[in-house]
Amino acid sequence: MVDIVAVHGIQQHRSSRTAMHDAWLPAIVEGLRDVRSVHADSLTLECAFYGHEYNDGKSVGESNYAAIDLEPGFEEELVVAIAAGLPEVSTAGKKLYLPAALQKALVAVQESRLFEGVDSALISFVKQVNRYLHDAEFHARVQEEFSRAMARSPRLVIGHSLGSVVAYDWLQRNRIENPPALITVGSPLGFEAIRRRRHQPQDRSRWPGEVRAWTNIAAGHDAVAMVKKLSPLYHPDIVDRPCTNERRTAHAAVSYLKNVNTARAIDEMLG
């Protein structure tokens, strides 16, 4: 058995399972020590790591995406939805040969510093989400990785960003002997574009399987978690908690894991 299974989000295609473990575990422990949790010094963590699947294990240069690479439909819709959570901007004087909504979205990302103000990083994000949702073979590989991690019988699952979608999908479709609790951080599950594509089993509720409890944590400046409360959309028993992360790193997993509200939720769910 293991205390926590963690599943990461996007932009981990140049990382590794070891690097994830070495970043996540100290961040969680730091937060637990701040709240004087008895679990801080004995915590065990299993990482569900699938980032390497995005580049098929090849060490090649980054894709320098441009606006023209956005596919109509889901990708454009998600870019606009993310930007809707950012401050209003003006595109006057900017020569972008794109639909007005996309122009404003990309300019908003650049000015807000979300994704470090690099729109190619945003486009890479939506393409990774798109691949998980619509590439059946890739989706199956990610879910298999999560299955292997869940074989450790965790007491708690933590899903960050796209990882919250991965965890939700698996927990909806699998029955396990000792159901864990669930914490989602920086989750895009609230986006209507993602909710429409969940392929939810018709005979299931929107509660993820048999999880004991679900806490969702969303930072005020995190536009990926623009929909801060999931309880009205999924289930009234979800505990939605706000948190404050620095604007520049509002969506970063480590920022969430060190946050006092996350630490308290982890402490509570580990009992």
Side-chain angles (χ1 to χ4, degrees):
M1 293 183 64
V2 69
D3 292 321
I4 298 173
V5 160
V7 54
H8 65 80
I10 49 83
Q11 307 290 46
Q12 298 300 303
H13 51 291
R14 296 289 175 255
S15 188
S16 67
R17 190 184 311 279
T18 299
M20 179 186 172
H21 187 277
D22 290 349
W24 280 54
L25 183 59
I28 295 171
V29 168
E30 181 177 325
L32 289 177
R33 285 178 176 159
D34 285 344
V35 299
R36 296 187 178 275
S37 171
V38 298
H39 304 290
D41 295 322
S42 61
L43 193 73
T44 54
L45 177 72
E46 174 74 19
C47 292
F49 182 79
Y50 60 91
H52 58 292
E53 297 288 357
Y54 277 109
N55 61 8
D56 301 318
K58 300 173 184 175
S59 295
V60 295
E62 296 293 327
S63 297
N64 189 21
Y65 289 116
I68 195 171
D69 296 312
L70 282 169
E71 296 180 10
F74 174 78
E75 291 185 5
E76 291 185 355
E77 186 179 349
L78 188 55
V79 167
V80 172
I82 290 171
L86 300 173
E88 281 289 322
V89 297
S90 171
T91 56
K94 299 183 184 293
K95 297 180 180 179
L96 295 175
Y97 300 98
L98 294 167
L102 272 181
Q103 290 186 35
K104 288 184 177 180
L106 295 177
V107 172
V109 168
Q110 293 166 2
E111 295 190 3
S112 72
R113 306 305 298 168
L114 180 70
F115 295 101
E116 299 183 351
V118 181
D119 52 14
S120 63
L122 168 64
I123 297 168
S124 176
F125 167 82
V126 299
K127 285 188 172 295
Q128 288 192 5
V129 176
N130 189 14
R131 186 175 180 190
Y132 171 74
L133 292 177
H134 298 111
D135 182 333
E137 182 180 348
F138 180 82
H139 182 277
R141 291 201 301 271
V142 175
Q143 288 287 297
E144 173 59 23
E145 164 61 21
F146 194 73
S147 292
R148 296 179 71 175
M150 290 299 293
R152 299 288 305 279
S153 300
R155 290 190 285 163
L156 172 63
V157 171
I158 301 177
H160 171 247
S161 189
L162 178 59
S164 68
V165 182
V166 173
Y168 180 85
D169 287 351
W170 193 94
L171 291 165
Q172 268 277 29
R173 289 164 172 76
N174 292 272
R175 294 290 177 261
I176 49 181
E177 185 175 348
N178 298 305
L182 172 66
I183 294 177
T184 50
V185 294
S187 177
L189 278 166
F191 283 120
E192 198 271 339
I194 290 178
R195 297 202 316 274
R196 284 204 318 269
R197 294 166 171 85
R198 288 297 7 90
H199 306 300
Q200 183 173 304
Q202 295 301 309
D203 60 342
R204 307 276 176 84
S205 76
R206 291 185 177 180
W207 186 260
E210 299 173 340
V211 299
R212 295 184 287 105
W214 180 1
T215 295
N216 176 63
I217 300 174
H221 294 307
D222 186 357
V224 174
M226 184 188 75
V227 181
K228 308 302 180 187
K229 294 185 177 182
L230 298 182
S231 53
L233 301 172
Y234 286 87
H235 198 282
D237 288 345
I238 298 171
V239 177
D240 286 301
R241 294 184 180 179
C243 79
T244 302
N245 292 340
E246 182 183 354
R247 184 184 295 272
R248 184 175 59 85
T249 59
H251 186 61
V254 168
S255 294
Y256 272 109
L257 296 173
K258 292 181 178 181
N259 188 279
V260 63
N261 290 326
T262 307
R264 285 175 176 151
I266 293 172
D267 183 56
E268 291 168 6
M269 292 188 176
L270 290 178

